[in-house]
Structure formats: C-alpha cells, structure tokens
Amino acid sequence: SGAEVIDAFPGLVTKVILSGVLPEKFIQTADVAFSEIIAWSTLQYEGQLYEEDDAVDSDVGGSNRFTLRDGPDSGETAGTLLPAGKFIMPVTFEPLLQEGYYKVIIELGCRDVRGGEWK
C-alpha cells in the first residue's frame, strides 16, 4: 500500500518479484482448498519524467495514459503456495518503449483444486 520507485531501462523486460504470507485464518476459511496464488498485473503509463518545457516531443498514442498488459489473461502469473501460507513469484512485463512514470497494479487471487479462480 505504498509507493516504491523502480528504475527500468527502455527496451529491456522488467521483472517484479512478489512475496508475502497469506493469513492462516484466510486459508482455513476457504470453501474449496487452494494451492496456487495468482497475480493479475497491469503496467500503466502515468506521464513524462520532465516538465512540459523540458520534455522532448514524443507520441504516446494521442493520450496521456496508456496501459501495457491489460485484459483478463494478458497479465496473469501463477505461483505455488508454500508452507505456512508463504508465496514468492516473479511478474515479468514487456519492454518499455516510452520513457516516463509508470504505475504497477497487482491484484492477488487464488486458484482452487477444481481450477476455479477468485480474487
């Protein structure tokens, strides 16, 4: 729930490593047992690095904001739930083509043993 600054280089893939622990009570209250954690990710362009008068002209598709990896399956990464509710998983984003500020949006969910997914 905080903001972090990550340096990324244009033309190279960006990888974010997610890690955490699901509370034991959350795991025990699930109606159907689950063993996978799912992360739905979006990388959203927020703006340029410099003020208007310092910026180099660039085309951002006619909009001040655009999104990479948007849609139901385009940004889905799954990882195995480890003992004691721990998880760790890499989320890889395609190369950035535009210099600027980006927002990474991650929603976590679970996949149960029947293949059902929920956030």
Side-chain angles (χ1 to χ4, degrees):
S1 64
E4 296 289 332
V5 175
I6 301 170
D7 290 327
F9 299 97
L12 299 176
V13 296
T14 301
K15 186 180 287 188
V16 177
I17 306 297
L18 304 179
S19 65
V21 179
L22 294 179
E24 185 71 27
K25 186 174 182 176
F26 176 78
I27 296 170
Q28 292 174 349
T29 59
D31 292 336
V32 178
F34 62 92
S35 61
E36 281 190 309
I37 299 294
I38 303 170
W40 289 276
S41 57
T42 303
L43 184 63
Q44 182 173 298
Y45 178 82
E46 291 288 303
Q48 57 195 13
L49 290 176
Y50 306 102
E51 296 294 326
E52 285 285 328
D53 51 347
D54 294 338
V56 176
D57 287 339
S58 61
D59 181 25
V60 188
S63 170
N64 241 7
R65 300 175 84 163
F66 64 88
T67 301
L68 303 174
R69 267 195 148 175
D70 196 16
D73 298 322
S74 60
E76 181 178 298
T77 304
T80 304
L81 187 63
L82 302 171
K86 296 178 183 178
F87 66 91
I88 185 165
M89 71 175 95
V91 176
T92 303
F93 293 98
E94 295 181 18
L96 302 176
L97 303 177
Q98 171 83 24
E99 184 178 77
Y101 289 105
Y102 290 80
K103 179 194 287 186
V104 176
I105 302 167
I106 305 284
E107 292 183 286
L108 291 179
C110 299
R111 180 174 292 137
D112 63 33
V113 294
R114 299 179 300 191
E117 297 177 355
W118 40 280
K119 293 182 183 181

